Amino acid sequence: MKLWCDLHIHSCLSPCGDELMTPNNLVNMAAIKGLEMIAVSDHNSARNLPAVQKVAWEAGVCLIPAIEFTTREEVHLLGYFPGVEAALEVSDAVYPHLLLPNRPEIFGPQQVMNEQDEPIDEVDKLLIQALDLSIDELVDWIHRAGGAAVPAHINRGSNGILNVLGFLPESGGYDALEVSPSLPVNERLISGYRTLHSSDAHRLEDILERVEQIDLNSVSARGFVRMLKAGGPEARNL
């Protein structure tokens, strides 16, 4: 089944995310835009996913629980998980590897919300800093949790792997690559990998319209992760 999707969206938990990116706002904006599947992937944390999951169920939108990790090398790495619990377990495990506290007056609040968009907590450590974990270690953690590891926006920004390392490690164990279609990329480097195109939305207006589709046998987070992991580096592009 082909589904309209946006596989990289931030909530207001990310300090760089707009305060209007609450669980209800982002899910319902995705539904208004006709999307059937979304991945919410805050920086280094999954703590807004339980609320987003409840809202998504009500709206009839399939949620892929995700986290956008910042590795020791300053690479952004997406972890897609088969369920919210798996994402929360990894989120809790990496939290001690964040060393600096957040300064809300500089970076903004990091709000944890319930399904009514009510703030119920605030994360104390700065979520946009790099973890004290390498990209290889985080890929292993994602895989051990049953997830799929995907370097984010590899050809864009200071945190894309091609801009940080200057190359794509052949033995990285990545299950796919997220590529920014509006920017050039060396096709030889990504040859053989499944590629994803997403918004990396930090504001409601940046969530994708119906421009990207994914073909799944099982419409679920588990089915999505299974599809990525089954394909590996020899899979065809979406």
Side-chain angles (χ1 to χ4, degrees):
M1 177 182 295
K2 290 186 176 181
L3 303 172
W4 296 105
C5 62
D6 189 343
L7 301 173
H8 188 167
I9 298 172
H10 291 266
S11 83
C12 56
L13 176 59
S14 294
C16 48
D18 190 87
E19 62 182 9
L20 295 178
M21 294 292 277
T22 64
N24 278 277
N25 283 349
L26 70 86
V27 168
N28 287 306
M29 180 59 77
I32 288 170
K33 291 188 173 188
L35 301 185
E36 298 154 313
M37 174 176 282
I38 61 172
V40 173
S41 50
D42 283 309
H43 289 289
N44 292 322
S45 181
R47 291 193 59 194
N48 262 355
L49 289 179
V52 175
Q53 179 70 88
K54 291 176 183 178
V55 177
W57 278 332
E58 291 294 325
V61 175
C62 181
L63 173 69
I64 310 300
I67 301 172
E68 185 176 22
F69 301 99
T70 303
T71 74
R72 181 187 298 147
E73 301 90 346
E74 300 279 356
V75 170
H76 281 182
L77 176 70
L78 289 163
Y80 294 107
F81 297 94
V84 170
E85 288 303 318
L88 285 170
E89 287 179 10
V90 177
S91 175
D92 290 344
V94 302
Y95 192 70
H97 295 271
L98 293 169
L99 305 180
L100 301 176
N102 184 34
R103 296 183 60 184
E105 72 278 10
I106 297 176
F107 300 107
Q110 300 177 147
Q111 293 185 321
V112 181
M113 294 199 160
N114 64 19
E115 62 271 28
Q116 280 81 45
D117 286 355
E118 299 167 332
I120 57 174
D121 201 358
E122 197 163 311
V123 176
D124 294 328
K125 294 183 180 181
L126 180 62
L127 293 176
I128 55 172
Q129 67 182 292
L131 292 156
D132 186 24
L133 293 165
S134 71
I135 188 168
D136 291 338
E137 288 173 308
L138 282 163
V139 167
D140 184 55
W141 283 34
I142 293 166
H143 286 163
R144 284 190 283 115
V150 179
H153 45 75
I154 64 168
N155 57 328
R156 176 177 64 78
S158 59
N159 300 108
I161 192 170
L162 295 181
N163 293 331
V164 174
L165 301 183
F167 65 99
L168 189 67
E170 293 184 4
S171 58
Y174 313 129
D175 299 293
L177 303 173
E178 185 189 54
V179 176
S180 297
S182 61
L183 294 172
V185 64
N186 187 328
E187 294 294 334
R188 181 182 59 81
L189 293 178
I190 65 174
S191 176
Y193 280 98
R194 189 183 297 272
T195 56
L196 306 178
H197 303 143
S198 306
S199 71
D200 191 11
H202 291 70
R203 300 177 301 172
L204 292 172
E205 57 265 35
D206 294 333
I207 295 173
L208 290 183
E209 305 284 343
R210 283 190 162 199
V211 294
E212 293 293 334
Q213 280 188 307
I214 192 165
D215 195 356
L216 294 178
N217 293 325
S218 174
V219 182
S220 65
R222 190 171 297 276
F224 172 76
V225 171
R226 185 184 304 120
M227 179 273 294
L228 287 187
K229 292 174 69 66
E234 297 306 318
R236 62 175 176 82
N237 290 346
L238 293 175

